[in-house]
Structure formats: C-alpha cells, structure tokens
Amino acid sequence: MPGLKEVQYYLAGLWLLIRMDPRGFRFLDLSERGVNRSFWAMVWCLPPMGISWLWWRQAFLRSMPPEADVDFAFFIRLGLVEVANWFVPLVLAGLLLLALRMGERFAPIVVSVNWLWVPLSYINGVLLALVSFLPGTVGFVSLLLLAFMLAQVFVLARILRMICHDHALMVGALTLVLLVPSMILSEYLQHFLGIYPA
C-alpha cells in the first residue's frame, strides 16, 4: 500500500496537471503497476467514507420509526454502492476510449481519477461532518457542497484536458461519464438495497 509521502507525491502531480503543467505526469506512475496500485486510493478514502456512512445512517434513521435501527449489513450495502460507484465510471470511460481508439489514455485517466478521489473524499467528509455535528450550519454547508460539486467538475475537466490534449468533446464526454453515472447508480442501488431514506 502506498505510504503518505507517496500519496503526497501523486497529489503534487495532480496539482500541476490542474494548473495545466505537463510536468505533473512525471509525478504519476502510469505503468501497469501504477494503475493497479492506484486502486489503493480506495483504502485511503475509507476514513471520509466512514463519515459519509454515519451521516447516511442518521438520515436513514430519521426517516424510520423511533425504535428502528440498522445492523452491520446496512454498512455492507453502503460499501457495495461505493465499490460500484468507483469501478463502473472507469469501465464506462474505458469502453468509450476503446470505441474511439484512444485506449492508450485509459491508464493516465485511471491513475489520475483514482488519486484525485482521495482529497475530494476528505473535503466531502469534512462538509458532512459539519452537518452532522453542527446542525445549524446545514444551509451554509449546502452552499459549500454545491460549490464543491462544481469544483469537482472543473478540476476533473482540467486533468482530462491535459490527458486528452485539448479535445474539448472528448474532455466533456469523459467528464460526464466519470461523474453522472455514479450519481444515477447511487440512487438506484440505494433504493434497490433498501438503504435509501424513505
């Protein structure tokens, strides 16, 4: 598993790419080994995922009768949703790249997107923690969450622009493929698995 210094090194590369500096690619391991290791980002995201799961548990229980409770299976189902949200957009992006005969760009996208979710997950976790522990900040945090969603789109598009060399249509299509399906899939799976607040 990559250590903190290695993760910081990757994030430094992403920051350069966001600033449209091609030197950022030198900080990322784009080999087959690097692609495989980038999925350790899921482990690095576990702490903020835990915060979001606890927040979701609170929201779920608020919609249930007072005596209701959830068991460990509830969190297993949330974990399944997270795994699907992580892998399905990457698979769809890969299929799109194959269809357009641009498969060589799949590895940089996988590595960049996987490590990008680490800081984004922690920011999301902090915002949800504010809502959980400071209920009076709900309105303010809602605005921050909206700004955060827009920032996600902006940051991801900047990185994809560096990978796709300014192909605007490809950047737009990949941005949509990497973000929109997870939103749709989340809601569908939460309903299907019975963990969506009534």
Side-chain angles (χ1 to χ4, degrees), residues 127-179:
L127 294 175
L128 292 179
L130 285 174
V131 172
S132 298
F133 298 110
L134 298 172
T137 63
V138 171
F140 175 66
V141 173
S142 295
L143 291 175
L144 290 180
L145 283 168
L146 177 60
F148 174 61
M149 288 177 62
L150 295 174
Q152 276 184 313
V153 175
F154 174 78
V155 167
L156 181 59
R158 296 272 286 192
I159 292 173
L160 291 173
R161 184 177 169 192
M162 292 297 294
I163 295 171
C164 296
H165 308 299
D166 289 335
H167 292 295
L169 289 176
M170 175 57 64
V171 171
L174 284 170
T175 301
L176 290 174
V177 163
L178 289 168
L179 292 177

Side-chain angles (χ1 to χ4, degrees), residues 24-198:
F25 288 114
R26 300 177 192 170
F27 290 73
L28 301 174
D29 184 355
L30 303 178
S31 66
E32 183 178 346
R33 176 178 179 271
V35 170
N36 292 333
R37 281 172 61 80
S38 72
F39 286 98
W40 282 106
M42 294 181 70
V43 178
W44 276 95
C45 289
L46 285 177
M49 279 184 194
I51 293 172
S52 69
W53 293 358
L54 292 175
W55 175 81
W56 194 259
R57 175 184 175 273
Q58 286 182 350
F60 182 80
L61 289 177
R62 279 197 298 268
S63 69
M64 302 294 286
E67 67 277 4
D69 201 357
V70 297
D71 56 13
F72 187 68
F74 179 84
F75 296 103
I76 294 294
R77 292 170 187 160
L78 282 174
L80 291 174
V81 174
E82 294 285 357
V83 170
N85 283 338
W86 198 290
F87 284 98
V88 170
L90 291 176
V91 170
L92 294 176
L95 293 174
L96 176 62
L97 290 169
L98 282 175
L100 297 173
R101 298 181 182 179
M102 300 173 71
E104 73 282 354
R105 294 178 188 172
F106 185 59
I109 288 173
V110 171
V111 172
S112 300
V113 169
N114 280 346
W115 290 118
L116 178 63
W117 294 148
V118 175
L120 294 181
S121 293
Y122 278 87
I123 294 170
N124 186 63
V126 169
L127 294 175
L128 292 179
L130 285 174
V131 172
S132 298
F133 298 110
L134 298 172
T137 63
V138 171
F140 175 66
V141 173
S142 295
L143 291 175
L144 290 180
L145 283 168
L146 177 60
F148 174 61
M149 288 177 62
L150 295 174
Q152 276 184 313
V153 175
F154 174 78
V155 167
L156 181 59
R158 296 272 286 192
I159 292 173
L160 291 173
R161 184 177 169 192
M162 292 297 294
I163 295 171
C164 296
H165 308 299
D166 289 335
H167 292 295
L169 289 176
M170 175 57 64
V171 171
L174 284 170
T175 301
L176 290 174
V177 163
L178 289 168
L179 292 177
V180 175
S182 63
M183 298 176 188
I184 298 171
L185 188 62
S186 284
E187 186 167 350
Y188 171 77
L189 287 177
Q190 287 161 0
H191 279 99
F192 179 74
L193 296 172
I195 55 175
Y196 194 85

